[in-house]
Amino acid sequence: MFKIKSPPLLFRLSREKNFTITSLFCKPFTAIWLDEKMNATRILKVKSWNMSFSGFGKYLLEIPSNPITPNK
């Protein structure tokens, strides 16, 4: 939150389940819910200031629209 650029984030839950995220105070990003075998169960382009989105999985990968890139 509140960063101009940020790295992709991977969140791991204790088990597969349906869970909800919010984009309040966030820059736009792509959310990818993954099952325990790392298969995508839902891919969603998330815009800023939306209340909630849900998906099923054990992992959530958040890829910012403007990610940090390594120095060349």
Side-chain angles (χ1 to χ4, degrees), residues 26-40:
C26 296
K27 301 279 185 187
F29 62 93
T30 300
I32 304 172
W33 282 262
L34 304 161
D35 64 14
E36 59 187 23
K37 294 182 180 180
M38 293 295 202
N39 297 314

Side-chain angles (χ1 to χ4, degrees), residues 14-66:
S14 58
R15 61 182 172 85
E16 283 189 326
K17 63 180 180 177
N18 194 34
F19 60 98
T20 303
I21 61 172
T22 183
S23 67
L24 296 176
F25 305 105
C26 296
K27 301 279 185 187
F29 62 93
T30 300
I32 304 172
W33 282 262
L34 304 161
D35 64 14
E36 59 187 23
K37 294 182 180 180
M38 293 295 202
N39 297 314
T41 59
R42 184 171 188 199
I43 301 172
L44 182 65
K45 287 194 178 239
V46 178
K47 295 182 180 177
S48 299
W49 294 98
N50 287 304
M51 281 303 289
S52 64
F53 308 94
S54 63
F56 180 83
K58 181 172 181 168
Y59 302 93
L60 173 66
L61 178 59
E62 290 185 1
I63 304 170
S65 296
N66 196 8

